[in-house]
Amino acid sequence: MDDQEVRERLLTAAADLFYSRGIAAVGMDDIRTASGVPLKRLYQCFPSKDRLVEAYLSRRDERWLAALALHVSRSRDPRQRVLAVFTFLAEWFATPDFRGCAFINAFGELGGRAGVAGPVTRIAQLHKQRLRRYLAGLAADAGAVAPSVLGAQLLILMDGAIVSAATGANAGAAADARAAALALLDVACEAGTTVR
């Protein structure tokens, strides 16, 4: 196996285990077993678990945002693109392996821990900043008067829906967030018509 293939195997195993069981509960031996990569080779690619966690979160950021953008791009109408964010969430929530936001989870687990707190906090913040900018772009395309404000509001709706769905507090969290987003969108665009 070349280095790229080894790295991919390790990151895939880490992603599955960290997301399903939690970062603190997974050791490097677990990653080795799940990936089939010898421990020595694992440490050549990732000298510490902290570095593996950083790589996992960075990869998750890229892939999750790409999946969201692909889903949203299927809608032609700019206002519908904003609302498509919430259909993306509904579909994600319905998957059997849904465990909430990997970034909120990682921050909750490691955000205050010495050594890891800096990188985990930074990556989680970067993910949320990138998502907020993406949402602000959708808001601008939809005609929002203050797209950065609407983008921030949509992010709060998304995060709230994710936490509500992950904790089992609200099975209809995505639909409820979509309804709130529609109301915000109508106000932000000063539109008399609504999108259903």
Side-chain angles (χ1 to χ4, degrees), residues 32-54:
R32 178 204 60 193
T33 301
S35 67
V37 173
L39 203 55
K40 182 177 179 181
R41 191 87 187 267
L42 189 164
Y43 279 108
Q44 287 172 344
C45 289
F46 298 101
S48 68
K49 182 178 173 183
D50 293 349
R51 296 278 293 278
L52 182 58
V53 169
E54 291 173 45

Side-chain angles (χ1 to χ4, degrees), residues 84-154:
V85 166
F86 299 94
T87 60
F88 174 82
L89 291 183
E91 290 174 14
W92 180 38
F93 297 170
T95 61
D97 65 341
F98 172 69
R99 301 284 182 275
C101 174
F103 303 93
I104 293 172
N105 295 348
F107 181 80
E109 268 194 272
L110 306 174
R113 201 181 79 162
V116 170
V120 167
T121 299
R122 181 181 46 77
I123 293 168
Q125 288 173 342
L126 178 64
H127 172 74
K128 296 303 180 182
Q129 289 166 2
R130 289 181 68 198
L131 185 52
R132 187 176 65 236
R133 283 194 302 270
Y134 173 73
L135 294 168
L138 293 178
D141 292 345
V145 174
S148 62
V149 172
L150 181 56
Q153 293 168 337
L154 293 171

Side-chain angles (χ1 to χ4, degrees), residues 3 5 9 24 36 47 51 60 63 86 125 147 149 154 167 170 179 183 192-194:
D3 288 346
E5 186 180 350
R9 280 178 126 188
R51 296 278 293 278
R60 177 106 183 171
R63 290 185 172 193
F86 299 94
Q125 288 173 342
V149 172
L154 293 171
T167 60
N170 182 356
T193 60
T194 59

Side-chain angles (χ1 to χ4, degrees), residues 7 13 27 37-38 61 70 95 106 111 120 124 145-146 156 158 180 183:
R7 186 177 172 81
V37 173
D61 171 59
L70 177 63
T95 61
V120 167
V145 174
I156 290 170
M158 286 183 73

